[in-house]
């Protein structure tokens, strides 16, 4: 049974930090590209970034580059998103997702339509 469970969200003041986690089970974690996505109320889902199977390649969208860091621990089947210097514009529901990959690449920006497995999301709220 596939399970994708995000955690670590919450309420934080602008300028603060949060670390999101995504624990996965039920599929071969090491064979999947992983991505973080977010959706704010009234807006479409957007990609935050992705990480390759080995963790050696990452991509972050421009709006979070230099502030957010994606990492993974294949031994623990866990994906992370370290978020620093948060702003109110980062307020959204954050989702992690997985996509099977034949190679160790990170496909760059995606809205997630090509990802196979999704979690339920964790809410991040940044107050001004």
């Amino acid at each position: 049974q596939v399970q994708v469970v995000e955690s670590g969200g919450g309420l934080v003041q602008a300028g603060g930090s949060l670390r999101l986690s995504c624990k996965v089970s039920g599929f071969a974690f090491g064979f999947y590209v992983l991505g973080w996505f977010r959706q704010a109320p009234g807006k479409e889902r957007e990609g935050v970034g992705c990480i390759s199977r080995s963790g050696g390649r990452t991509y972050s969208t421009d709006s979070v580059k230099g502030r957010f860091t994606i990492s993974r621990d294949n031994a623990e089947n866990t994906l992370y998103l370290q978020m620093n210097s948060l702003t109110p514009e980062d307020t959204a529901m954050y989702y992690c997702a997985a996509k099977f990959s034949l190679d160790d690449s990170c496909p760059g920006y995606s809205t997630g339509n090509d990802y196979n497995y999704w979690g339920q999301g964790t809410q991040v709220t940044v107050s001004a």
Side-chain angles (χ1 to χ4, degrees):
Q1 179 181 357
V2 172
Q3 287 192 318
V4 180
V5 181
E6 301 95 337
S7 62
L11 174 64
V12 64
Q13 288 188 329
S17 298
L18 283 174
R19 189 192 196 202
L20 306 184
S21 299
C22 175
K23 181 72 173 177
V24 168
S25 61
F27 60 89
F29 187 78
F31 286 89
Y32 283 73
V33 170
L34 303 172
W36 283 103
F37 302 85
R38 66 185 182 184
Q39 188 166 20
K43 294 187 178 181
E44 294 188 352
R45 185 175 65 204
E46 65 171 341
V48 174
C50 63
I51 187 166
S52 66
R53 287 167 33 169
S54 71
R57 293 176 174 85
T58 61
Y59 165 85
S60 296
T61 195
D62 286 347
S63 61
V64 307
K65 201 166 291 184
R67 300 188 298 123
F68 291 10
T69 302
I70 298 173
S71 61
R72 65 190 289 169
D73 184 339
N74 284 355
E76 296 292 330
N77 284 12
T78 303
L79 171 70
Y80 300 100
L81 181 66
Q82 177 66 44
M83 304 187 296
N84 299 328
S85 302
L86 285 161
T87 74
E89 289 68 37
D90 295 316
T91 294
M93 185 71 78
Y94 283 71
Y95 301 90
C96 74
K99 177 175 72 169
F100 180 77
S101 177
L102 292 173
D103 58 29
D104 191 35
S105 65
C106 177
Y109 187 79
S110 168
T111 58
N113 291 337
D114 51 341
Y115 279 69
N116 308 109
Y117 300 123
W118 289 82
Q120 294 300 306
T122 185
Q123 178 68 38
V124 171
T125 303
V126 185
S127 63

